[in-house]
Each structure stands twice: as C-alpha cells, then as structure tokens.
Amino acid sequence: MALSSWKELPIGTIITKPGSAREFKTGDWRSQRPIWDPEKCIHCLICFIYCPDSSIKVNSEGKMTGIDLDYCKGCGICEEECPKQAIHMEIEKR
Ligand code: SF4
Ligand code: SF4
C-alpha cells in the first residue's frame, strides 16, 4: 500500500510492516514547532537522545544541524531537556 500521508491510512490501521514508519510524515500533527538557536547550542545532543521521533538532525561530526520538521510532532521534550535553552516552542502557523 503506497500512501503519501498518514491521513490516508484507513481508520484503525497501525503501521504493521517493520521499518515503514519513515513513509508516514507525521509533522503535520504539530500544534507547536521547536525553534533552534545555533548560537546557544553546545551540541551536547541531549535533545537527540530524548526526541521520541528521531527528529534532531546531526552531521557526521556529531554536531546538531537542525530539526526535521517532516517528522517532529511538536511534543516540546527537546525544549524541556536542553540545558542551554537553545530550543523554544512556538505556536504552529498553518
Ligand atoms: S540539547 Fe540544546 S544544547 Fe544540546 S544539542 Fe540540543 S539544542 Fe544543542
Ligand atoms: S518537539 Fe518533540 S518531536 Fe519535535 S524535535 Fe523536539 S523532542 Fe523531537
């Protein structure tokens, strides 16, 4: 079943095929979006560890490079856990 969005899933359906979650971009679930301030970031990657949606982007040198808004659901855990207040949440504007 090739779907372009989770919204096309029939009601009651769950992801049953291993490794297929990436096919379903869940970013449009968000009511708030995280805003990252690279000037404050010390690249400790605590946000990477805590993010339940693997949405913190990290390069090959182990530095945070941003947030993948295709999958971030806006839970705010990264804002809560960041020791440098380098992430804050804003109301999502659509
Ligand atoms: S937790 Fe904060 S300081 Fe650490 S990598 Fe994430 S944004 Fe940067
Ligand atoms: S708001 Fe939640 S899902 Fe989005 S990057 Fe932060 S921890 Fe991850």
Side-chain angles (χ1 to χ4, degrees):
M1 175 170 33
L3 303 174
S4 61
S5 163
W6 65 271
K7 291 180 179 177
E8 295 175 17
L9 287 168
I11 292 173
T13 302
I14 57 170
I15 294 171
T16 53
K17 195 171 115 195
S20 63
R22 183 159 282 280
E23 294 170 22
F24 305 104
K25 294 185 176 175
T26 50
D28 57 356
W29 294 17
R30 267 193 324 274
S31 59
Q32 295 186 82
R33 83 166 42 204
I35 308 293
W36 175 55
D37 182 346
E39 297 297 317
K40 292 182 180 172
C41 180
I42 58 169
H43 304 280
C44 64
L45 302 187
I46 288 174
C47 56
F48 174 85
I49 293 166
Y50 276 91
C51 176
D53 291 309
S54 302
S55 298
I56 303 298
K57 296 195 283 189
V58 178
N59 67 17
S60 59
E61 295 167 350
K63 304 281 188 190
M64 179 175 174
T65 59
I67 297 169
D68 188 343
L69 295 173
D70 279 347
Y71 298 97
C72 163
K73 297 194 192 86
C75 65
I77 292 173
C78 53
E79 177 192 51
E80 184 70 24
E81 297 298 334
C82 176
K84 292 294 179 182
Q85 290 77 49
I87 298 176
H88 72 275
M89 303 300 289
E90 289 188 356
I91 300 295
E92 184 70 60
K93 297 184 186 104
R94 297 194 190 279

